[in-house]
Amino acid sequence: SAVISQKPSRDICQRGTSLTIQCQVDSQVTMMFWYRQQPGQSLTLIATANQGSEATYESGFVIDKFPISRPNLTFSTLTVSNLSPEDSSIYLCSVESWQGARGYTFGSGTRLTVV
Amino acid sequence: ELKVEQNPLFLSMQEGKNYTIYCNYSTTSDRLYWYRQDPGKSLESLFVLLSNGAVKQEGRLMASLDTKARLSTLHITAAVHDLSATYFCAVEAVGGGSNYKLTFGKGTLLTVNP
């Protein structure tokens, strides 16, 4: 299955600043997914990123707050903009992968704390 | 909108006991996933269930899928401390833009006590 390298693993950011998270995959993938996991909560899909097209955002998430880039088939970035303490979460990227059947592999996550 | 309900949300078990986690979902889907998450870690894939009646087993964990009842179960047999983690089910369905996407349950925090 695909191997994902996600950076940074954690960061502490000031209010009003932005954080850009990177995900690098060891193989070409069509779609990459970005999730948010708030403390003690489940995962919520932020957006789906296809190479060469605009990302598709889920209800409650907007491009101005969570701009995504997908410059090629192995890389994507998620920026969390104008940070507030409510943005403190773990952010994970994910890709489809083959695990005997089509499945999904997750990056190691980025733990963001906003102070 | 697809809803995924997982229960129980918290489960405290004694070593050696058996228990089942339930995952109900609200719309048609033929593909369901179970994941494990250890504290501070990412998600580890446990099972991919592809069709009605699918049953998969790995060690002390067994997962099944009933697409007609829209129900999946994760059965734990003779629990050991190493199974302590949070377990998520996730259901795949077509989302916006006609792409497949996963909707997760809230997770079950499993604690296995000696």
Side-chain angles (χ1 to χ4, degrees):
Chain A
S1 62
V3 176
I4 303 174
S5 174
Q6 184 172 342
K7 297 179 182 179
S9 59
R10 59 179 63 225
D11 207 341
I12 301 173
C13 298
Q14 298 287 327
R15 290 180 198 226
T17 63
S18 299
L19 175 69
T20 295
I21 303 166
Q22 300 179 0
C23 272
Q24 178 76 51
V25 189
D26 69 344
S27 57
Q28 293 185 338
V29 293
T30 304
M31 292 191 291
M32 293 181 75
F33 306 88
W34 288 97
Y35 289 86
R36 180 177 72 183
Q37 186 177 24
Q38 294 176 300
Q41 302 296 313
S42 186
L43 282 77
T44 301
L45 181 64
I46 297 171
T48 302
N50 287 348
Q51 194 267 335
S53 63
E54 295 263 339
T56 301
Y57 288 83
E58 297 298 308
S59 176
F61 297 96
V62 295
I63 188 171
D64 289 347
K65 176 69 175 176
F66 299 98
I68 288 171
S69 79
R70 183 80 203 275
N72 58 53
L73 290 173
T74 64
F75 186 78
S76 179
T77 67
L78 169 74
T79 299
V80 189
S81 304
N82 190 23
L83 290 168
S84 67
E86 292 72 33
D87 295 319
S88 298
S89 295
I90 298 172
Y91 294 86
L92 300 104
C93 62
S94 174
V95 300
E96 286 186 312
S97 63
W98 186 257
Q99 303 161 358
R102 189 181 78 242
Y104 296 86
T105 297
F106 287 80
S108 53
T110 297
R111 182 181 294 272
L112 169 62
T113 303
V114 182
V115 297
Chain B
E1 180 187 342
L2 173 59
K3 295 191 186 303
V4 181
E5 291 190 4
Q6 196 173 330
N7 66 84
L9 299 183
F10 300 93
L11 179 54
S12 180
M13 297 176 64
Q14 280 191 310
E15 281 190 329
K17 298 294 187 182
N18 304 333
Y19 211 86
T20 301
I21 300 170
Y22 297 89
C23 178
N24 287 94
Y25 53 99
S26 61
T27 63
T28 301
S29 175
D30 289 329
R31 193 175 288 259
L32 188 140
Y33 303 82
W34 284 95
Y35 292 92
R36 168 179 172 149
Q37 187 178 39
D38 291 292
K41 305 290 186 181
S42 187
L43 274 72
E44 173 191 353
S45 178
L46 295 175
F47 299 108
V48 180
L49 300 171
L50 300 177
S51 60
N52 189 43
V55 177
K56 292 198 173 179
Q57 183 164 4
E58 181 75 31
R60 300 175 187 273
L61 301 178
M62 183 173 70
S64 66
L65 177 62
D66 181 343
T67 57
K68 294 180 181 177
R70 299 177 183 167
L71 170 68
S72 179
T73 61
L74 180 66
H75 187 72
I76 302 154
T77 301
V80 293
H81 180 70
D82 286 350
L83 291 179
S84 297
T86 299
Y87 293 84
F88 292 98
C89 65
V91 178
E92 184 186 74
V94 176
S98 301
N99 295 322
Y100 283 108
K101 67 172 188 175
L102 291 183
T103 300
F104 281 80
K106 290 182 181 287
T108 297
L109 176 59
L110 172 64
T111 304
V112 181
N113 303 303

